[in-house]
Amino acid sequence: MDLKKIDATLAHLSDMVSMGAFDEAFNGAEALYAIICYLDKNAIYFTVLSNLASIYIDIGAMKPCKISAQKGLDILMLHPSEIAEQIGEHHYFYNLSNGKFNLIENKNPFDHTFSTIEQLIEVKTLLWKAIKSYEQSHHTRADPKFIVNLGNALNQQFRLSEALACYDDVNLLQLDIPQSWINRSRTLMMLNTVSNSYSIQMLEQVKNGYEKILSSPEIPPPWLDYYKQQIEYFQSELTEACRRDNIQYDPHDLDKTKAEYNDLSDYRKFCLAHNLTLSEHGLYCACAGSARDNLTIPTLSGVVGDFVVPMEMVLNRLKSEFSFARHLYYGYLSEEPDDELLHDSCFSELLNDELLGIDVEKLRTAFRGCFGILDKIGVAICELFDVYPPNDSVSFQSFWQLDRDNRRAKFNSIKNPGLLALYSIATDLNDRKDGEWSFLKKLRNDLEHEFVVIHKTETPSDIYKSYDFMSQIVFIQEKDFLNHLNRLLQLTRSAIFSFVFAVRDKALKEKQDDKLYFPNSILRKDYI
């Protein structure tokens, strides 16, 4: 078979997958695989082999079929360097993550434990590698499909705020990627379950997500009836919720939402646009209901436990420190440098491109503050669930130590979605777990103990050789530091939400229907 026929066969197989003819596509892939094995093992061979592996993996996901997924994964793992050289590391990691995800037996996130989550953590790490490799090689944002799959991996680990941000980023591009809308709707329903709260707007957006994809040619025709059923189901849920809550809901209130958003302060608009609010409603809607960081542990239906008030005290501290770090970040990005303060500081001109003064110290302080927040979450979790590590030393990314002293079984006995999410975030920052963001912890330590030079240009000049004397100077360009700080703020925000959901889950589980409870209201501080 010549190359043109092979390309035509691959295109036909891909069309079969899109049409939902999975068995025909699998049989065709098997036939083609038997033929190409006789090709010379050159660049063309490995490119064709990579495309065939992708078809196997797609069949494995969409049918689903474990045998097909395993075949595709075996091909990728048998020739990693050869395939990566032809398609790029980013596509290799992306395809590898898809293959490994398809082999996960149970796709219901609520069935995951601290044992089964390790497979998802590997998938998530591969997707981070794919995204970072893409951005480094293309000098632009990653392929939107990479972002969608990252969102899918994160929602499986209950990192719902980050997953929703992934889908929203992609949906703003107005591309035909139906899985982004579908999985956004599914994530909102997970948020409904995990947070034990809902709103009419949430149900409306769940329904709208399914409506968005009905005309997409990317949806296999056999699946359309299911999505139409979902639309009907959530329309009935909306109608019932409005009747129950005595609400006259206008499904076309987008103009009202936009007007409310325009009335918000520039700072609050920044927080919403950059996914930095601490409001459950703000996770999916930018209306007046998102105007404040009104995240709390208690719900309208009430929670139970002597630990609720102490944990709310912890949340107050987390919100206070996060709002400070966030405001410093906002100030650096939006405010003009204060030349008078720089003038008053009388810095020596060393012609070495280092950024100095109060403005850049905002970034350093915000960065360090995020790790302080994460460590406080770690201490609160250890207190709440009695899971202090053997040495009693708590660092957010490393206190878990699941492979020591039967601790994995202890965490499994707790069975808490918020706790699973926190562990997943911790693995991103832990170099022993191959965490793709573990270097952020090292950078934080460098900020505390080393000379870290933040500079404007790609390569800082140093006419007077001011940097030559110190052997441990760490250099980082301003744009890179800003990107790292933004990622750290996202991880920290996600951890705060997950902390609240973890405490709330424990408090709701302790509530017994056959008992009477004396109410104890927690009011908000009034500063106006």
Side-chain angles (χ1 to χ4, degrees), residues 102 116 152 207 214 256 278 290 372 402 406 413 429 461:
N102 294 342
T116 62
N152 298 344
K207 179 176 73 75
L214 290 183
K256 180 181 177 183
L278 292 178
S290 308
L402 298 186
N406 208 33
S413 68
L429 296 167
S461 61

Side-chain angles (χ1 to χ4, degrees), residues 360-375:
V360 74
E361 295 306 322
K362 291 177 182 177
L363 298 184
R364 295 171 181 268
T365 302
F367 196 99
R368 289 191 293 258
C370 286
F371 277 100
I373 294 168
L374 293 171
D375 286 344

